[in-house]
Amino acid sequence: MEKSESTVNNNLVFGVNGKRFEVSTIHPSTTLLEFLRSHTTFKGAKLSCGEGGCGACVVLLSKYNPVLDQVDDFTVSSCLTLLCSINGCSIMTTEGIGNTKDGFHPIHERFSGFHASQCGFCTPGMCMSLFSALVNAEKTPRPEPPLGFSKLKVSEAEKAIAGNLCRCTGYRPIADACKSFAADVDMEDLGLNSFWRKGDSKDMKLSSLPSYKRNGDVCTFPQFLKSENRSSLLLDSCRYSWSSPVSIEELQRSLGSVEDGNGSRVKVVVGNTGMGYYKEVESYDKYIDLRYIPELSMIRRDDTSLNIGAAVTISKAIEALKECNQHGFHTQENMVYKKIADHMEKVASVFIRNSASLGGNLVMAQRNHFPSDIATILLAVGSLVNIMNGLKSEELTMEEFLRRPELDSKSILLSVKIPDWYGLMGISSGTRMNLLFETYRAAPRPLGNALPYLNAALMAEVSRCTTSNDIILSNCRFAFGAYGTNHPIRATKVEEFLTGKVLSVDVLYEAIKSLGAIVVPNDGTSNPAYSPLLSPAKQLNHGKIPTLLSSAKQEVELNRQYHPVGDPIAKSGAAIQASGEAVYVDDVPSPTNCLHGAFIYSTKPFARVKGIKLKPESVADGVSALISFKDIPGENIGAKNRLGSEPLFADEFTRCAGQYIAFVVADTQKHADSAADLAVVDYDTQNLEPPILSVEEAVRKLSFFEVPPPLKPKQVRDFSKGMAEADHKILSVEIKLGSQYYFYMETQTALAIPDEDNCIVVYSSSQCPEFAHTTISRCLGIPEHNVRVITRRVGGGFGGKGFKAMPVATACAVAAYKLQRPVRIYMNRKTDMIIAGGRHPMKITYSVGFKSDGKITALHLDILINAGISVGVSPIMPHHIVETLKKYDWGALSFDIKLCKTNHSSKSVMRAPGEVQATFIAEAVIEHVAATLSLDVDSVRSKNLHNFNSLVFFFEGSAGEPVEYTLPSIWNKLAISSGFKERTEKIKQFNTCNKWQKRGISRVPIVHEVALTPTPGKVSILSDGSVAVEVGGIELGQGLWTKVKQMAAFALSSIQCDEMGDFLEKIRVIQADTLSLIQGGLTAGSTKS
């Protein structure tokens, strides 16, 4: 391949947190995140979704422009950013802005003090998103802010973390930490924190915040990079398999040489963000980077159009669109550009828009039928595209571009032209015509990574009739996309029908009827019932939300009697979580000769496994072994609890889709994942019974799990008698509840290290190391004292790191034991979602009797629970469901609950197991009764709250004393303190006056049974007076270590030691170790929080 002279002998050079890195050769598919986590000590950026959709991997990328002598700072998703694309750039991770050694950044301290970090796995990415916003706010020409604040606005602070997901904390404390830097913040609006107390003045509050110095000590682009030879920006294309053409001609030669080659696979890239949506199953041999071609990176404005190069990022395109009013464009043309920019800001998240290219988005829409918002709005405004195909170039309308056959590998989108609509529509100044342009987007979330159900853009020229005030339409352009269509489409028949028409109800009705026949979703479309005709009406104020969050206040009365217990101190470890120094399992440095594993799982619900084959290229790519049930030295057991167990690997038969069949071990996690993806499993279903895939089939085949007698709930009173007392009855109503994925930010992970004397040490992200310890011992066939399971912290659990973490740790242990080498795994998100099991799906049939005033007299429930293939912890579900249902006085409560054994993955406990489903059931019944009687649902809820006599019937020996039953008083107090009745009346008035937008308010009672389980603890007082504490619980983000420290400090403070100072500073809670502290049990159900 012909090379440019500028590309010879140039190495990949970049900076990370001020340190220089030079890489002589690396595979071009290597991402920045892979490099950071595998080749540096900076582990703050985390891998969570691997798709650029969560923000856990966000870092700051800085580029230097030597011509302008300025640095461009912006966030990127490091899990998608290719390492070869950052040549000459500087990377900043959260460790680089502050750390334990050099001092924490105020961002870290405020995240800690505002209680904005729980499990902490997402916090480093949050911090970098905020840091980027602060850095860029300082570059604006805004007035100098007050001392201690930045130029950041509250609205910008909230949006800074709009693309960052947090699974456990909730966004208000995170937003509070961000807003505390904003110059226009209302200090009274900031929530509970560890910096000030109730009643402190504004000045006291400000002085107690960690000091923020604008333009502080953090340098985002080090001087040594500015001094590097600028020619080094282009890499040696032979050593890196990475080509960066600097002209259209060089690009044509590169693409031509590929066609003449021997079938090598080439990928054309700009920001590589498309990989987050369209996964790469097989690797590419060469990458071509388009960013250095001037024609693809230009932004040009003239009197007729705005031209944007295809390699321009979406963020830069937004900036260009917003700047158009500074270049003499017509006022209404400004309106079009501004609304395009406003809509683009709702696409993806800022750290994706910063690297995703405008052309890449359009090519995905054209080639892959990606549901692009940008393609839809550019179609409506009559945009043109310039395409290079081989040696020729052609200009197409957006409609022609989208309709043509998919672009081949030789075709490149060069630029997009957005025309001047005055010229296009022939509007001259001084006319009575106006231009109207609106865009719409219906999606699960208004901002952030959420693909649209439907998008639309409507443009029209309107004028007043000369003889009346009627409005006449002309030059209409209506575009609709994403709604199950292969690409955005023009509603040309509607446009033609409306052109020249005087607007009226009848005309609009006919247009809507015509539109309904044009915008028709394909089969399998998500949310097919969503009406595109109502989308504009439903979102009249879609762009007018002043802030993302409403104001609120938190007040907590402190009791100093048990100081420091109950004090709102910062969460233990929150600061190092924010700075990226908190060590999770995947942050533990890999030992020498460490291997990586990945699971091969079943894709069949019930089949005979005849064999597993790895593709030859997988073996060439570093695969060391394939572990199956035949390699297990002890019992084939992967998870165990007191109610049952399940196998580690399928034997001759696989009994559910997602069941582990084998464990492939390779030299890197990428190679292990790739080998597992490409593995071929030979299945045979001949002469086998059909799998049971529904609870109805399980009932027909009597496929059930038994519930142990101690866990079987009891009926309450006589259902038949209660129904006889009823004035009204609702019979045999069905409810179906689906499953739910845990979505912990940290996926399943483990590290197993062989130790001396036939021992093994396993690091596991587990809520129950004790059971993992026993399982590993039995699976390896060694005594339990030869096994040590260590868990320091867990990056989110919600029940999914309880029993589902055991087979992950056990598989690593089996592989390490067999190969006598360390083995680790960090499960990719797709596999994690397939094997997780999740919340129990259910089918409920209920019959209820009730009086005319809403008092319920009897309720019967038939509940079919899909437990999956293994019993797991499913036997606890009936008890949890019934105990939660008892929050209301049903008069009589009867039920028939069955645990159905199906060929689905076994379900497990998930955040309030059974209670979530039972609450839904209870409220569905209450609302059904209220609707039947045309009563206010809140009055029906109130009518069916327990008095103490009914409480005794439902809860028998656990009802307590009358004075202890406080639910009715809490119910009434809540109504008064929240102004419930007044707000309800205001909402009724609002709903009467508004057809499309509705509001609602409700209060729902909850009863939660806390089962206290005794667990061990150990307190060690060392020679210098410092204290180490071990407990049976696991720190999941719930603040267990913080509360243990407070409790230990309170207890030790009674020992009147001289010069001990603050006891909290003397105490450290250390990681769980199953040989140091045994019988720790399961951390779940609020028992260890």
Side-chain angles (χ1 to χ4, degrees):
M1 178 179 175
E2 189 173 339
K3 302 188 293 291
S4 167
E5 289 183 1
S6 61
T7 65
V8 180
N9 296 325
N10 290 330
N11 285 343
L12 175 59
V13 177
F14 54 92
V16 179
N17 295 336
K19 295 184 179 180
R20 186 179 187 275
F21 285 83
E22 183 169 353
V23 182
S24 59
T25 182
I26 200 164
H27 195 277
S29 67
T30 303
T31 65
L32 172 57
L33 183 63
E34 287 178 65
F35 183 85
L36 289 173
R37 297 192 61 78
S38 302
H39 296 83
T40 78
T41 58
F42 305 118
K43 303 295 181 73
K46 309 296 185 188
L47 176 61
S48 182
C49 70
E51 300 178 351
C54 69
C57 67
V58 165
V59 298
L60 185 78
L61 190 150
S62 302
K63 288 184 177 181
Y64 177 62
N65 186 328
V67 177
L68 301 176
D69 190 27
Q70 67 183 27
V71 176
D72 191 12
D73 303 294
F74 53 91
T75 52
V76 296
S77 187
S78 62
C79 72
L80 299 179
T81 302
L82 296 173
L83 190 69
C84 290
S85 72
I86 67 164
N87 194 30
C89 299
S90 175
I91 301 299
M92 187 73 70
T93 72
T94 189
E95 299 101 319
I97 65 173
N99 50 66
T100 307
K101 180 180 177 182
D102 301 323
F104 293 115
H105 192 278
I107 291 176
H108 301 149
E109 295 174 312
R110 295 193 190 185
F111 263 75
S112 173
F114 278 99
H115 315 296
S117 179
Q118 284 192 22
C119 83
F121 204 78
C122 68
T123 310
M126 297 267 187
C127 291
M128 293 314 297
S129 290
L130 175 59
F131 179 73
S132 174
L134 290 173
V135 167
N136 285 294
E138 294 304 322
K139 299 177 183 179
T140 63
R142 294 170 185 166
E144 291 296 301
L147 186 66
F149 292 102
S150 73
K151 291 185 178 181
L152 198 67
K153 297 179 181 179
V154 165
S155 59
E156 294 171 338
E158 291 176 348
K159 287 183 179 179
I161 46 94
N164 295 77
L165 297 185
C166 175
R167 179 66 175 88
C168 49
T169 306
Y171 285 91
R172 186 168 297 281
I174 297 171
D176 283 343
C178 296
K179 291 190 295 184
S180 69
F181 290 91
D184 59 342
V185 68
D186 179 359
M187 298 291 284
E188 294 298 320
D189 191 38
L190 300 180
L192 189 69
N193 60 76
S194 61
F195 300 124
W196 60 73
R197 296 291 182 264
K198 180 181 177 182
D200 287 354
S201 66
K202 181 179 179 179
D203 290 340
M204 290 180 65
K205 290 177 179 180
L206 181 58
S207 64
S208 63
L209 279 173
S211 175
Y212 172 65
K213 296 179 182 178
R214 297 171 47 233
N215 304 314
D217 299 331
V218 180
C219 175
T220 61
F221 200 92
Q223 186 61 42
F224 70 79
L225 275 179
K226 293 182 180 180
S227 306
E228 292 282 341
N229 189 337
R230 302 317 303 162
S231 65
S232 65
L233 286 178
L234 301 179
L235 300 175
D236 183 343
S237 60
C238 292
R239 280 189 290 126
Y240 295 95
S241 298
W242 182 276
S243 175
S244 301
V246 295
S247 67
I248 294 289
E249 293 74 23
E250 189 176 347
L251 173 61
Q252 289 172 331
R253 290 196 297 269
S254 297
L255 294 173
S257 66
V258 172
E259 288 297 310
D260 300 333
N262 54 2
S264 60
R265 302 181 75 243
V266 173
K267 183 175 184 180
V268 176
V269 297
V270 177
N272 196 48
T273 55
M275 190 186 76
Y277 194 75
Y278 299 104
K279 302 298 183 184
E280 295 179 3
V281 179
E282 298 181 8
S283 62
Y284 290 87
D285 302 300
K286 190 175 187 63
Y287 286 68
I288 299 177
D289 182 3
L290 302 180
R291 293 175 302 153
Y292 295 97
I293 302 174
E295 292 89 340
L296 272 72
S297 301
M298 62 81 193
I299 299 176
R300 187 173 65 250
R301 307 173 183 86
D302 55 37
D303 291 336
T304 63
S305 63
L306 173 65
N307 288 269
I308 303 176
V312 172
T313 65
I314 297 174
S315 290
K316 291 295 183 183
I318 292 170
E319 289 180 17
L321 288 161
K322 288 183 174 181
E323 289 172 0
C324 281
N325 61 347
Q326 301 175 11
H327 294 271
F329 280 85
H330 300 101
T331 303
Q332 291 183 343
E333 181 65 9
N334 291 343
M335 174 270 294
V336 174
Y337 286 139
K338 181 181 183 303
K339 289 191 174 181
I340 293 174
D342 290 343
H343 192 111
M344 283 187 178
E345 287 188 323
K346 299 173 185 175
V347 173
S349 50
V350 64
F351 47 81
I352 294 295
R353 296 195 298 268
N354 287 339
S355 51
S357 66
L358 181 66
N361 183 283
L362 295 177
V363 169
M364 286 198 303
Q366 198 274 346
R367 183 183 290 166
N368 305 107
H369 304 154
F370 178 73
S372 166
D373 283 88
I374 295 175
T376 301
I377 57 179
L378 293 184
L379 173 62
V381 297
S383 300
L384 303 173
V385 297
N386 190 10
I387 295 175
M388 182 191 76
N389 189 354
L391 297 177
K392 68 176 183 177
S393 175
E394 58 181 328
E395 188 173 71
L396 304 173
T397 67
M398 184 62 67
E399 194 168 10
E400 292 170 336
F401 169 69
L402 293 171
R403 285 184 171 180
R404 68 177 290 163
E406 296 175 7
L407 294 180
D408 57 29
S409 59
K410 292 191 299 181
S411 300
I412 299 293
L413 177 64
L414 300 179
S415 63
V416 179
K417 180 190 290 185
I418 307 174
D420 171 10
W421 265 88
Y422 269 75
L424 186 66
M425 287 188 162
I427 301 175
S428 59
S429 59
T431 65
R432 300 179 63 189
M433 295 181 180
N434 286 313
L435 188 66
L436 296 182
F437 178 62
E438 293 292 341
T439 69
Y440 302 97
R441 183 175 194 267
R445 295 182 299 280
L447 299 175
N449 279 355
L451 294 179
Y453 302 133
L454 166 79
N455 51 45
L458 313 176
M459 176 175 275
E461 178 185 328
V462 299
S463 59
R464 291 283 181 183
C465 180
T466 55
T467 59
S468 68
N469 274 332
D470 293 335
I471 296 175
I472 301 175
L473 288 175
S474 58
N475 290 335
C476 301
R477 296 181 66 92
F478 300 159
F480 294 86
Y483 190 62
T485 57
N486 290 338
H487 54 73
I489 58 174
R490 287 266 304 278
T492 52
K493 289 185 179 180
V494 178
E495 295 170 359
E496 293 168 0
F497 171 77
L498 288 175
T499 298
K501 294 279 196 314
V502 175
L503 272 184
S504 67
V505 173
D506 291 337
V507 168
L508 284 176
Y509 179 73
E510 291 299 321
I512 288 173
K513 281 204 306 184
S514 178
L515 184 60
I518 295 170
V519 185
V520 179
N522 294 332
D523 291 339
T525 299
S526 176
N527 292 274
Y530 191 92
S531 171
L533 314 179
L534 299 181
S535 175
K538 286 182 176 178
Q539 301 187 60
L540 290 176
N541 296 316
H542 71 288
K544 301 184 174 101
I545 303 173
T547 62
L548 299 180
L549 300 174
S550 59
S551 297
K553 288 185 178 180
Q554 293 172 294
E555 293 186 3
V556 177
E557 297 293 335
L558 301 181
N559 186 337
R560 306 291 295 178
Q561 181 179 358
Y562 303 105
H563 174 76
V565 175
D567 287 2
I569 64 172
K571 176 182 174 291
S572 177
I576 59 172
Q577 287 174 181
S579 68
E581 298 170 282
V583 178
Y584 299 83
V585 171
D586 196 53
D587 298 332
V588 176
S590 292
T592 306
N593 296 322
C594 187
L595 297 170
H596 301 256
F599 283 102
I600 299 172
Y601 53 83
S602 172
T603 57
K604 302 287 185 182
F606 184 43
R608 187 180 292 106
V609 179
K610 298 177 67 177
I612 308 169
K613 292 182 181 178
L614 295 178
K615 290 194 174 182
E617 56 266 33
S618 299
V619 179
D621 281 340
V623 171
S624 299
L626 184 67
I627 309 294
S628 70
F629 76 98
K630 298 175 183 177
D631 299 291
I632 296 174
E635 301 176 45
N636 184 8
I637 179 173
K640 177 191 177 297
N641 61 69
R642 296 182 179 94
L643 298 172
S645 63
E646 60 183 64
L648 176 59
F649 296 121
D651 44 29
E652 287 86 358
F653 294 90
T654 173
R655 292 171 175 82
C656 73
Q659 183 175 11
Y660 299 133
I661 296 177
F663 192 66
V664 61
V665 182
D667 57 346
T668 68
Q669 190 64 59
K670 179 186 284 188
H671 286 159
D673 287 338
S674 178
D677 287 339
L678 298 175
V680 178
V681 180
D682 186 8
Y683 298 105
D684 178 18
T685 58
Q686 193 172 6
N687 299 323
L688 295 179
E689 288 286 327
I692 300 173
L693 300 178
S694 68
V695 290
E696 291 86 354
E697 291 178 56
V699 171
R700 286 195 296 270
K701 295 184 178 181
L702 300 178
S703 178
F704 304 120
F705 290 116
E706 284 295 320
V707 177
L711 295 177
K712 286 184 178 179
K714 296 179 181 179
Q715 318 276 337
V716 181
R717 292 176 172 165
D718 188 335
F719 172 74
S720 299
K721 184 178 178 181
M723 289 297 276
E725 296 173 356
D727 299 330
H728 307 273
K729 298 176 183 178
I730 299 173
L731 303 177
S732 302
V733 178
E734 280 191 7
I735 299 174
K736 289 188 176 181
L737 300 178
S739 188
Q740 185 183 4
Y741 174 58
Y742 301 99
F743 204 83
Y744 26 64
M745 296 297 288
E746 173 200 46
T747 60
Q748 300 286 1
T749 179
L751 165 63
I753 306 172
D755 204 354
E756 64 180 15
D757 198 20
N758 205 33
C759 295
I760 193 161
V761 178
V762 180
Y763 293 86
S764 175
S765 180
S766 171
Q767 292 177 240
C768 190
E770 177 196 345
F771 289 175
H773 183 120
T774 304
T775 302
I776 292 169
S777 168
R778 289 177 58 179
C779 193
L780 297 184
I782 59 178
E784 288 194 25
H785 65 222
N786 283 26
V787 178
R788 168 178 268 124
V789 178
I790 296 172
T791 301
R792 180 170 297 181
R793 59 174 57 81
V794 173
F798 321 112
K801 298 283 181 67
F803 305 104
K804 293 296 181 178
M806 294 180 204
V808 179
T810 305
C812 282
V814 170
Y817 194 75
K818 175 182 173 64
L819 301 174
Q820 284 301 296
R821 290 176 64 178
V823 176
R824 75 187 315 160
I825 181 177
Y826 189 78
M827 192 176 285
N828 65 66
R829 182 64 66 177
K830 177 185 175 183
T831 302
D832 195 289
M833 294 183 76
I834 288 171
I835 61 91
R839 199 181 289 282
H840 290 76
M842 297 180 187
K843 178 184 176 182
I844 304 100
T845 305
Y846 69 83
S847 297
V848 60
F850 48 96
K851 297 283 191 179
S852 296
D853 62 356
K855 180 65 185 77
I856 295 173
T857 58
L859 173 65
H860 176 77
L861 298 159
D862 291 309
I863 302 178
L864 301 177
I865 302 173
N866 189 337
I869 193 62
S870 300
V871 65
V873 294
S874 296
I876 70 170
M877 293 296 290
H879 175 79
H880 283 220
I881 291 170
V882 172
E883 289 302 303
T884 303
L885 285 169
K886 289 180 180 179
K887 67 179 183 176
Y888 287 122
D889 174 13
W890 304 106
L893 176 62
S894 70
F895 42 81
D896 181 13
I897 304 177
K898 290 183 170 64
L899 291 182
C900 299
K901 181 179 180 180
T902 64
N903 292 104
H904 288 278
S905 57
S906 59
K907 309 307 172 188
S908 192
V909 291
M910 180 178 182
R911 217 168 201 178
E915 297 173 45
V916 170
Q917 296 97 323
T919 296
F920 184 94
I921 295 166
E923 299 309 323
V925 173
I926 290 288
E927 293 198 8
H928 198 165
V929 170
T932 301
L933 297 173
S934 298
L935 294 175
D936 177 67
V937 68
D938 188 71
S939 67
V940 177
R941 287 194 179 102
S942 301
K943 177 72 68 173
N944 289 285
L945 291 179
H946 284 289
N947 56 40
F948 186 73
N949 291 331
S950 65
L951 192 75
V952 171
F953 274 105
F954 276 76
F955 289 93
E956 297 181 328
S958 61
E961 299 297 324
V963 70
E964 297 173 315
Y965 179 51
T966 57
L967 184 56
S969 61
I970 293 173
W971 186 258
N972 295 331
K973 184 177 179 181
L974 176 64
I976 296 170
S977 63
S978 65
F980 186 83
K981 291 182 179 179
E982 296 81 2
R983 292 165 72 180
T984 300
E985 288 303 315
K986 289 180 180 179
I987 287 169
K988 287 180 180 178
Q989 293 174 14
F990 178 88
N991 291 342
T992 301
C993 299
N994 291 270
K995 185 173 183 179
W996 298 112
Q997 288 185 320
K998 301 294 182 182
R999 293 175 178 171
I1001 187 171
S1002 69
R1003 49 179 175 158
V1004 176
I1006 292 175
V1007 174
H1008 176 69
E1009 179 186 18
V1010 178
L1012 299 178
T1013 56
T1015 52
K1018 183 167 71 175
V1019 179
S1020 302
I1021 302 178
L1022 308 179
S1023 60
D1024 64 349
S1026 60
V1027 179
V1029 181
E1030 294 177 74
V1031 291
I1034 303 300
E1035 177 59 68
L1036 310 170
Q1038 80 278 39
L1040 174 65
W1041 286 3
T1042 311
K1043 297 162 198 172
V1044 169
K1045 284 182 68 172
Q1046 288 177 305
M1047 201 65 219
F1050 169 71
L1052 292 173
S1053 64
S1054 61
I1055 307 172
Q1056 300 296 323
C1057 301
D1058 295 333
E1059 300 180 2
M1060 280 297 290
D1062 186 354
F1063 273 107
L1064 284 173
E1065 297 301 318
K1066 296 284 185 179
I1067 298 168
R1068 176 181 292 276
V1069 183
I1070 60 177
Q1071 63 195 14
D1073 182 329
T1074 55
L1075 283 188
S1076 178
L1077 194 70
I1078 65 170
Q1079 298 177 347
L1082 172 67
T1083 301
S1086 301
T1087 57
K1088 300 187 178 76
S1089 58

